[in-house]
Structures are given as C-alpha cells and as structure tokens.
Amino acid sequence: MRLYFQFFILLLGFHLANGQNFLWKGYFSYNEVRDLSEANTRLYAACETAFFSKNTVTNELKTVNTVDGLSGQTISAIYHSKSLNRTFLGHENGLVIMINEITGEFRLLVGIRDQGGGIPPNKKRVNHFYEFNSKLYISCDFGLVEFKLTDFTFGDTFYISPTGGQTEVLETTVLNNEIYAVTRSQGIRKGDLSNPNLINFLAWQTFDAGFWSGIVTFNNTLVAINTDTRVYRFNGSNPIPILNLSGQGKDIRSVDSSLIVTTENTVQILNETFALTQTFSNNTFQGLSSKFSCATQIQDTLYIGTTNDGVVEVSLSNTGSFTIILPQGPSRNSIFSITVTPSGTLWAAYGDYSQFNNPYPLDEYGLSKLTQDAWLNIPYSDLLGAKSIVRITTNPSNENIVYASSYFSGLLKLENDVATQLYTNSNSGLETLVLPSDPTYGPDIRIEQSVFDRSGNLWMSNGLIANMIKVLRANGQWQSFNLSSVLSGFTSNGRMTIDKNGTKWLCTLDEGLIGFNENLNNKIIKITEGSNDGNLPSPTVRAAQIDNRNQLWIGTQKGLRILPSVDRFLNQDELTTNSIIIVEEGLPQELLFEQYITDIAIDGANNKWIGTADAGVFQLSPNGQQTLQRFTISNSPLPSNTINDIEINGSTGEVYIATAKGMVSFKGSSTAPSNSLKDVFVYPNPVRPGFDGTVKISGLTNRANVKITDIEGNLVYEKIAEGGTIEWDTKAFGKYKVASGVYMIFIASDDATDTTVKKVMIIRGN
C-alpha cells in the first residue's frame, strides 16, 4: 500500500523564537531531500532551504522553514546529536544553525560563514558533521573545523593538506582516537586527536592517496567509498573491496549494526560481517521516478532520501509495501510566476528563461495549485509535452479552465486540472520561430504574457514573431496583430495588463513598453528610454500595473516610472512617464533609482508592492511618497532577496511573494473593496490588555467614510477607505491611546446611500 503525506575562536550568534509568526506563512518544497539524520524515534530530512521531521511513534510530521527561523540559505548537511537533543544544519555559505529540540531555540553560528583569512565565499560549504568526545567536527570545502559542544564555541581550524593549504574535506570519522578525513584531492588524511599540536598541518599524514568520497567507522573497522564505484574496508592500511556499486557512491553511513551505502539508483545494506543483506533500487518502488540521495535506518525501518519525492519509508522485514513521506508544498522552490484567482486559488509555474529570453535548457517541471492549504502538483508527464511553462492565466468566468503559457511549446489548456489541448502552430493561430540558417528547426512557439479582457477574449504575446500579439476570441477564433512598426526584436517580458479602455500594455526585453488598442484602428504607442521617447530609465521593462486611480506603474531594469493616466493613450500620440521624487535627509532623489524591478502588485488600499532582483520587497504608499515597509532576508522570513513574482489575494489581503528559494506570504490588511457594507467586520474585538496591534475594519466599500467616536460622541478617528480595510491604532488621531470603553464606528459609503454602525470594546490594563 502506498501512502502520501500531503573555526575560529569567533562565535557570533543570536536567538530566534521558534514559533509561528502569524503575519507570515511559508510555502516551501520538501520534495528534494539532500541529507538525513536520525534520533531514536524521529527522522530528520534536510531539503533545499527547509527541513522536516517525522516522529516514528506518532507519525507526526513537522516542517521548519524561514517563517520558523531558518535563514533561507541552501542547506548542505544535517546532523542530530542524540546526546544533546540538538539538531545542526550546515549550509553552502558556511552558516551553521543549532536548534534546541526541547526549547525550540534557534542559534545562528556564523563563525565559518563570516571568517575571512583568504577563504573565498564559495569555499565555505559545510559537507558533513561528526560528533566525538563532546566535539563536533565540521567538514568544509576549505578544511576541518572543531566545534565544542560543552560551551557551544568554535575551537581549532585544521588545514590538513600536505602543504598546509586549503583542501576540500568531504567527511570524517574516528577510530582508536585517530581522526580520518576524506578530501577531494589529497586522499584520506589522518591525525592523532591526542596530539596537542594537531593544528599544525605537519601533524597530519596521508593514510591513503587514492580518490575517495566517503568514510565511516563500522564494527571497529574503517570503511570508505572509492570513486572507482567500489566500497572498501581497511585491514590496517590495506583497502579490501567488499561491495561493487552500480554507479558513483552518494552516501555511506553506519547505523547500529547496518552499513548503508547509497547510489543514485540503489541502496545496499551490509551486516557486521560485511555480507550484503538487502538491496533496494528505483524499480523496487513502483511509480517512483526520483533518484536517491542518501539513506538511514531507525530500528527496523529504512528511510531513503530522494531528489523529487521526499523520503521513501520501507520496513526491512516487510519490503512489499512502502510509504512516501512528503509534507504539503509546491514541487519546487524556485517559482517563476504565480497567479491568484478571485476565489483565492494560487497557481505556480516553474519554467523560466534567461535575462535574454533564452528558455534553454528546456524545463519539464509541471505545475502546482494551492487551494485552502492543500497542494496539487501536476507532473510534466500529464501536460501533453508542454515544456518551460512560464505563466498561468485563469478564465475569469470559469476558474476551472486555465491556460498555461509555454515558452517553447505553445499554449496549454487545462480543464478541472486536466490538460485537454495544446495549441501550437499546427492547430491554432500561433506561430513558430523560424531560423533561416536552419530550416529544419522547430516548432518553437514562445508564449509568455497572457490576460483575459472583459469580453472573455484571451490575449497573449507570441515571442520572436512580427505578428506578436495574438488573441483567442471567446468564440474560438484566432486573430493576430503586427507590431513591426514599433518593434524589431519582438521579445516579450513580464506580464501583460489591460486597462479600463481595453488598451493592452505589453512589456518587452529591450524595446520598452507597448500600448495597443485594436478598437482605435490598431493604435500602437511605444514608450522607451530617452526624454523624447517616453522617459523610461531602461528599455528593459519587467512589469506594468494599473492602480486604483488608473495610473500605470512601470518597473524596469533601472528603476520606476509612472504614466499619470492610461486615458492619455486615447488622445495622444506620444506618452511620457514620470519618476517619483522623494526627499530623504533634506535631499530630493528619485524613488528606487537604478533598482532592478522584477514585479509590481497593487493591493486593495492602492499601496504598491515592488519586487526587485536583489533588494527584496518594497511596500509603497499609494502615491509612492512613503515606503511603508521593506522586507529582506535580514528582517523578514523572505528566503531570498531575488523576487520573481508578487500576487495579492484581494479578498484576504494576503501578499504572496515568490523568490528564487521559496515562497512566503505576508498577511496584509489591505483588501479589495466590497460592493456593500453588509459584511463589515471589526477585529480584534474586544481589544484586551497588552494588545499592541491595530484594530482592523474590513468589508468596506471603496472610499467609505469611517468615523470612530467614544460613547459620548467625541470624535477620535476618521479616515476615507482606499480599498476594503482600514486600520486604527487605537489612538486619538495618532496622539495618545484612548481609554478603556466602548467606541462607536460609523461607516457610510462614498455616496452616503449605504451606512452601518459597529462597536468595539477596548480594555486597558491597570
């Protein structure tokens, strides 16, 4: 039965509370398992930027990600110390995180990551942990680091190459008080732990000069994997082959009375006499397509980490059945684009292209769908061969029909989560890229930007084609529009949007922003860089969004611009955009000057959420004059400062942020306006002693007038709503906190035809 479960003496650390931050949620992939560790009754599985654990007695699954306190950096090793009940996470940048499993405390140990001494940043990767005599030996890409478990400080750093220079240490073990270290290029090096001068590289010697990838102590014997695809045990210094592998060894570990050896395709178990007792291959587990990464054992159960299916759990006494351990999440962390439907369903696409619109190597990642905290991951094998899917567009009149834009294969239609038709150059109005130098090339149909208009027509960009704008009419007919009068490269970029006048705004790679309206005699205007050509700071346009005041906000590779009104397209032949000038420290300057903007989203209060290529997320006020919030990896659960996409659930205000290393969401308070005041809701209510947040009044109509008075009718707060929610800081016009009591909330729509009254009770402490 197959079950699914959807180096230094410098130590610089700080503590993070291991508790849910209720403003944030994490949406991480747990498919790719990079390392495993075990306690007596718990399995630990390290993934790319998060990890999960399973209680083997209760079957409880627990996930840990950046919202809980992780860094978002790429994890390279995990180790659980049974003696201390602490879990250690090593990262590719040298960061080590220590987690107290009893208190939930996180401690960031940055001594390796922040160490200088001529160690390049890309040579600080943590490869392995080994515990011995109250010390943790940390194998890194430059050498071996000692961490003392008695006081949690770093000890000595050992540069163990024959010349005393840096060398990659892959794994260590101890036998008879001698430490053995497998290196990438210097063979197995050996040192005596009783030697007080072990820090001197001359105290180390070459135990074996061959090429090895892993080493363990098993049954009082050294056992190692050689790059010749064999496993050897050492009789003294003589290696004796004990196992032939089907490929390069990925992992070797000694667990109780078992020696477990993993390759990409097999897991083999040997007993204490070095006899092979069991073998598991990919074919053992029906339906599993992943490669293996590592394996470990807890009592009679084997756990195999995979590259795409989480952890395989199989009983060693009943190998006829197995279980997949995989927490809910998207299939990948690097999400290229996201789409949120009016009902709150989220779609994620993983296909991508380079900054020069090159989709190669072509991706076969499938799609993911999030509905009410439940993920559905649709594999590539179910998508009719559509590669490099870069965007999902939902039919506004029927959310069960969605279209997936493939930047190589055309347009894919899905109905009720099932792919039903792939539109290509052979069965639609789409066109394939033609290479004069290679007449046999193709089909290569690059569909990227797509959006529905109010009439149910699906508009899209057909990249590298003169007839670049395509439309699939609601009646099933196709139509094309030629842009050769304003474009030469025909490279689309980002997301198309349609304004209230039916004008389509199309982002391009290096030719600016295109406005097009077929109802105005196919009118086309190009906005690009240069004061006479539109005043964009760069012709590379990544985002264009229309706000609640019909202003067009444009994000480019080198900053931000605004078109004051989309109506100008109707009666002008040239359009000029403006920068936003703010004053900081008494000096005027351009907002987001030179920032590489990757996306723009508008919330219900007309605030702007700006994603950048390397500076995180900015939340700006409606006019951009105030930066309301800025989120980066250093002050928030963002796993990366590289923002791929931002989408907002208009009903709840939740802001989804897709990054290069995972997706998180921020529970904003700016919701889309309601059509009436019948569902106005006030929370929290009552406001209890010690509460330091704001009172939210949601369910408002746009530009509703909100007045709050005390029970005697004295006005303490007034605001015009922009969107569906406002916040009150429980202060009298921002000056002082109001006293305990009942406060009346009078709400009227913009035209005063709809009114309602609510109450909120505030209870202050003594």
Side-chain angles (χ1 to χ4, degrees):
M1 179 179 179
R2 189 176 186 182
L3 302 177
Y4 289 88
F5 295 87
Q6 306 249 224
F7 328 40
F8 315 114
I9 57 174
L10 171 66
L11 169 66
L12 180 60
F14 60 88
H15 303 278
L16 294 173
N18 182 19
Q20 172 71 35
N21 182 335
F22 290 103
L23 291 177
W24 292 88
K25 291 180 69 175
Y27 304 91
F28 288 79
S29 173
Y30 300 92
N31 292 50
E32 181 192 358
V33 174
R34 299 189 164 206
D35 197 10
L36 294 172
S37 189
E38 73 286 335
N40 293 328
T41 59
R42 186 172 285 274
L43 174 76
Y44 297 87
C47 304
E48 183 183 18
T49 53
F51 77 94
F52 66 91
S53 64
K54 177 185 178 181
N55 186 309
T56 59
V57 176
T58 65
N59 289 327
E60 169 237 2
L61 278 182
K62 177 183 177 183
T63 60
V64 182
N65 53 54
T66 59
V67 174
D68 306 295
L70 295 190
S71 66
Q73 297 298 313
T74 302
I75 298 171
S76 52
I78 190 170
Y79 172 72
H80 178 77
S81 171
K82 297 177 183 178
S83 61
L84 298 174
N85 200 16
R86 281 174 167 79
T87 302
F88 294 84
L89 287 172
H91 297 77
E92 290 186 353
N93 69 344
L95 174 68
V96 176
I97 296 180
M98 179 175 65
I99 305 170
N100 188 324
E101 296 290 347
I102 298 176
T103 65
E105 174 193 69
F106 283 55
R107 189 169 182 180
L108 272 62
L109 312 172
V110 301
I112 297 174
R113 185 196 69 184
D114 292 351
Q115 175 65 17
I119 303 174
N122 64 343
K123 286 293 184 181
K124 296 182 179 182
R125 173 189 169 106
V126 174
N127 296 314
H128 183 255
F129 297 99
Y130 185 81
E131 183 179 353
F132 182 75
N133 277 357
S134 299
K135 292 181 180 178
L136 203 60
Y137 293 94
I138 307 174
S139 302
C140 301
D141 271 359
F142 60 87
L144 185 64
V145 178
E146 177 187 74
F147 184 75
K148 295 180 285 187
L149 299 176
T150 51
D151 59 2
F152 303 124
T153 60
F154 285 105
D156 292 325
T157 297
F158 306 101
Y159 297 97
I160 65 174
S161 77
T163 61
Q166 299 174 21
T167 189
E168 293 179 52
V169 180
L170 305 179
E171 192 167 6
T172 61
T173 191
V174 173
L175 178 64
N176 298 328
N177 209 46
E178 291 183 311
I179 185 168
Y180 296 82
V182 168
T183 69
R184 179 79 66 186
S185 58
Q186 304 294 335
I188 301 175
R189 300 281 288 169
K190 180 180 76 169
D192 188 343
L193 291 176
S194 62
N195 186 341
N197 197 33
L198 190 60
I199 194 173
N200 188 332
F201 73 93
L202 296 175
W204 293 76
Q205 57 185 284
T206 299
F207 175 70
D208 187 283
F211 293 92
W212 305 86
S213 59
I215 191 168
V216 296
T217 300
F218 178 65
N219 196 22
N220 205 36
T221 303
L222 289 177
V223 183
I225 299 179
N226 194 278
T227 55
D228 67 357
T229 69
R230 293 181 180 178
V231 179
Y232 295 81
R233 67 176 177 88
F234 283 90
N235 183 5
S237 60
N238 298 318
I240 301 172
I242 60 172
L243 183 66
N244 291 323
L245 303 177
S246 61
Q248 291 294 326
K250 300 286 292 183
D251 185 73
I252 184 170
R253 57 186 73 195
S254 169
V255 183
D256 298 328
S257 59
S258 296
L259 179 69
I260 306 172
V261 184
T262 305
T263 70
E264 286 187 347
N265 301 309
T266 62
V267 174
Q268 295 171 280
I269 303 176
L270 288 73
N271 63 20
E272 292 176 309
T273 66
F274 300 103
L276 180 64
T277 60
Q278 286 177 295
T279 298
F280 299 89
S281 69
N282 304 89
N283 297 331
T284 305
F285 310 108
Q286 185 177 4
L288 191 73
S289 59
S290 292
K291 297 178 181 179
F292 298 153
S293 57
C294 54
T296 192
Q297 182 178 335
I298 301 177
Q299 298 177 2
D300 186 49
T301 303
L302 180 69
Y303 298 92
I304 305 173
T306 74
T307 58
N308 198 47
D309 289 301
V311 174
V312 177
E313 175 184 330
V314 59
S315 170
L316 294 176
S317 59
N318 179 21
T319 59
S321 63
F322 67 97
T323 299
I324 297 294
I325 309 173
L326 182 59
Q328 283 280 319
S331 58
R332 290 175 54 82
N333 280 322
S334 184
I335 298 174
F336 186 73
S337 73
I338 51 179
T339 299
V340 176
T341 70
S343 70
T345 296
L346 179 142
W347 285 88
Y350 305 102
D352 57 13
Y353 45 73
S354 72
Q355 62 176 322
F356 304 109
N357 282 46
N358 181 4
Y360 289 89
L362 300 174
D363 300 321
E364 300 178 355
Y365 293 142
L367 295 169
S368 295
K369 177 184 179 182
L370 174 65
T371 306
Q372 297 178 345
D373 293 329
W375 283 92
L376 170 67
N377 292 311
I378 305 174
Y380 165 77
S381 58
D382 292 345
L383 297 181
L384 306 182
K387 303 177 186 291
S388 296
I389 294 177
V390 295
R391 195 165 306 282
I392 289 290
T393 305
T394 305
N395 188 328
S397 62
N398 184 354
E399 288 191 9
N400 292 321
I401 299 177
V402 302
Y403 292 84
S405 300
S406 164
Y407 208 61
F408 178 79
S409 305
L411 182 71
L412 179 68
K413 182 180 181 181
L414 295 93
E415 300 179 73
N416 296 309
D417 306 327
V418 176
T420 59
Q421 186 167 4
L422 180 62
Y423 293 101
T424 67
N425 60 311
S426 64
N427 63 359
S428 73
L430 302 179
E431 297 179 64
T432 180
L433 171 64
V434 176
L435 296 181
S437 60
D438 184 5
T440 64
Y441 178 79
D444 183 343
I445 308 151
R446 303 192 178 187
I447 307 303
E448 212 273 15
Q449 304 178 58
S450 54
V451 62
F452 275 93
D453 64 19
R454 286 179 290 186
S455 300
N457 304 310
L458 178 61
W459 294 83
M460 68 202 76
S461 62
N462 193 165
L464 304 180
I465 302 298
N467 294 322
M468 187 177 185
I469 293 183
K470 307 289 186 184
V471 57
L472 174 58
R473 298 288 182 185
N475 61 8
Q477 298 299 308
W478 288 85
Q479 191 174 358
S480 300
F481 298 91
N482 191 295
L483 297 185
S484 57
S485 63
V486 293
L487 296 180
S488 59
F490 309 109
T491 51
S492 65
N493 199 13
R495 190 190 304 261
M496 185 190 299
T497 188
I498 301 178
D499 66 26
K500 64 185 180 69
N501 304 313
T503 302
K504 290 78 185 169
W505 298 95
L506 180 76
C507 306
T508 73
L509 171 66
D510 54 11
E511 297 185 81
L513 180 70
I514 305 302
F516 168 79
N517 196 317
E518 78 283 9
N519 297 318
L520 300 176
N521 196 27
N522 293 340
K523 182 177 181 179
I524 305 174
I525 296 179
K526 180 167 74 171
I527 305 172
T528 187
E529 64 181 343
S531 58
N532 296 325
D533 295 310
N535 194 37
L536 294 183
S538 166
T540 299
V541 180
R542 287 294 304 270
Q545 285 295 325
I546 302 157
D547 73 3
N548 300 346
R549 297 174 180 173
N550 291 311
Q551 294 181 324
L552 185 64
W553 289 63
I554 306 166
T556 79
Q557 188 178 23
K558 292 185 178 181
L560 178 71
R561 288 294 185 268
I562 297 175
L563 182 66
S565 173
V566 295
D567 290 341
R568 295 188 179 187
F569 180 90
L570 303 178
N571 48 40
Q572 297 182 16
D573 294 327
E574 295 181 355
L575 299 175
T576 300
T577 62
N578 303 325
S579 60
I580 296 178
I581 304 301
I582 58 175
V583 177
E584 286 192 359
E585 299 179 355
L587 297 175
Q589 55 187 286
E590 181 182 314
L591 176 67
L592 299 178
F593 178 71
E594 292 287 332
Q595 284 286 353
Y596 193 135
I597 295 172
T598 57
D599 196 29
I600 300 173
I602 316 291
D603 67 22
N606 210 24
N607 299 315
K608 280 68 182 180
W609 294 77
I610 311 292
T612 67
D614 57 9
V617 176
F618 296 80
Q619 184 196 17
L620 307 178
S621 62
N623 61 7
Q625 287 298 314
Q626 292 178 286
T627 298
L628 304 178
Q629 298 182 94
R630 183 186 175 191
F631 298 125
T632 67
I633 58 174
S634 62
N635 69 356
S636 76
L638 273 183
S640 170
N641 286 333
T642 300
I643 310 302
N644 291 339
D645 206 2
I646 302 176
E647 279 276 87
I648 300 175
N649 184 325
S651 299
T652 65
E654 187 171 8
V655 182
Y656 295 92
I657 305 170
T659 80
K661 291 188 175 182
M663 183 172 70
V664 294
S665 70
F666 178 77
K667 185 62 172 69
S669 60
S670 301
T671 59
S674 300
N675 294 323
S676 70
L677 297 175
K678 64 183 180 64
D679 294 321
V680 171
F681 182 67
V682 181
Y683 62 99
N685 191 9
V687 176
R688 300 188 182 278
F691 178 74
D692 198 33
T694 59
V695 171
K696 279 82 172 175
I697 306 168
S698 65
L700 302 174
T701 55
N702 192 37
R703 300 197 59 77
N705 181 267
V706 180
K707 295 182 179 181
I708 303 177
T709 72
D710 61 21
I711 201 67
E712 296 177 351
N714 298 306
L715 187 66
V716 296
Y717 182 79
E718 183 175 12
K719 187 173 183 178
I720 301 296
E722 287 197 67
T725 302
I726 68 167
E727 296 182 76
W728 177 39
D729 59 6
T730 70
K731 293 181 180 179
F733 294 103
K735 296 179 180 179
Y736 56 85
K737 288 187 176 181
V738 298
S740 297
V742 175
Y743 290 81
M744 308 299 296
I745 304 172
F746 300 93
I747 306 168
S749 61
D750 186 31
D751 58 6
T753 60
D754 192 3
T755 62
T756 189
V757 179
K758 298 291 180 179
K759 298 178 182 179
V760 61
M761 176 178 286
I762 295 179
I763 308 171
R764 303 294 190 194
N766 294 332

